[in-house]
Amino acid sequence: SEPAIATAGYLSELVDVLLPEDQAQEAVYELTYAAFRLLNEGRDPRLVTHVFEMGLLRQLGYRPELARCVSCGAEILPEPNGFSLDGGVICPNCLRVRPDAMPMTVNSLKLLRSIDRGDIERLFTLRVSPAIWAETGDLLARYITRVTGRESSARRVLESLRLE
């Protein structure tokens, strides 16, 4: 399918941008292979994308913090929080003084935590609203842009396909 092919292109671009030259990474190869297999099985490309993004970020040492506030260290509770491009979730108290942080809903945090736990089969049974896909995708896209230092052209292709 067109979205699956566009997704594969985006995942390949991410590996290309994030992996240092001449550095073979077995785990990243396996992650990429697994993602392509899921796409080939007809799994939801959005979920495959976010599972891959989180997996790649983790492998390369950029895993976002989802349990404690990256500003004050407080435990993150199931309430509207924020997300900082500096590396993770911001509690409501710190959010007030962090205009740079993006608002983050409870369901978006839940989705990211589920993805982070890597329980793939359970993930594919989740019902996720279009608004939560959009929010989670946007948070990850902006965070990855911060990490890589550049916008993804393949991701723009992916977004335009989704809007059609």
Side-chain angles (χ1 to χ4, degrees):
S1 78
E2 214 179 349
I5 293 165
T7 300
Y10 167 65
L11 303 187
S12 302
E13 183 197 60
L14 259 191
V15 170
D16 196 45
V17 172
L18 281 169
L19 268 194
E21 295 258 339
D22 313 321
Q23 195 176 328
Q25 290 234 15
E26 190 67 29
V28 172
Y29 172 79
E30 283 169 17
L31 185 68
T32 309
Y33 180 78
F36 285 175
R37 201 180 64 239
L38 289 167
L39 287 171
N40 196 39
E41 288 170 8
R43 304 296 194 130
D44 188 329
R46 292 170 302 194
L47 189 51
V48 175
T49 297
H50 300 334
V51 166
F52 182 83
E53 288 169 330
M54 288 287 283
L56 192 60
L57 288 167
R58 178 194 290 264
Q59 283 301 328
L60 302 176
Y62 298 110
R63 177 184 167 270
E65 173 58 54
L66 301 173
R68 300 205 160 271
C69 175
V70 292
S71 233
C72 72
E75 186 185 346
I76 291 293
L77 302 171
E79 60 191 338
N81 290 286
F83 187 86
S84 164
L85 297 182
D86 296 336
V89 184
I90 300 258
C91 75
N93 281 337
C94 294
L95 189 55
R96 288 200 287 272
V97 293
R98 291 288 300 267
D100 62 303
M102 298 177 283
M104 183 185 210
T105 60
V106 172
N107 285 336
S108 191
L109 177 62
K110 271 189 193 160
L111 180 59
L112 276 180
R113 283 178 168 174
S114 296
I115 291 169
D116 190 50
R117 281 194 297 274
D119 186 359
I120 303 292
E121 284 313 312
R122 200 186 140 270
L123 276 171
F124 283 111
T125 66
L126 292 180
R127 289 199 192 287
V128 179
S129 74
I132 298 307
W133 280 126
E135 180 189 341
T136 306
D138 190 44
L139 292 175
L140 280 171
R142 291 192 198 188
Y143 181 55
I144 287 166
T145 298
R146 164 69 65 89
V147 168
T148 60
R150 69 188 182 89
E151 286 275 341
S152 161
S153 51
R155 182 164 189 108
R156 279 199 296 279
V157 172
L158 211 52
E159 291 303 317
S160 67
L161 275 176
R162 283 193 193 134
L163 297 173
E164 279 170 18

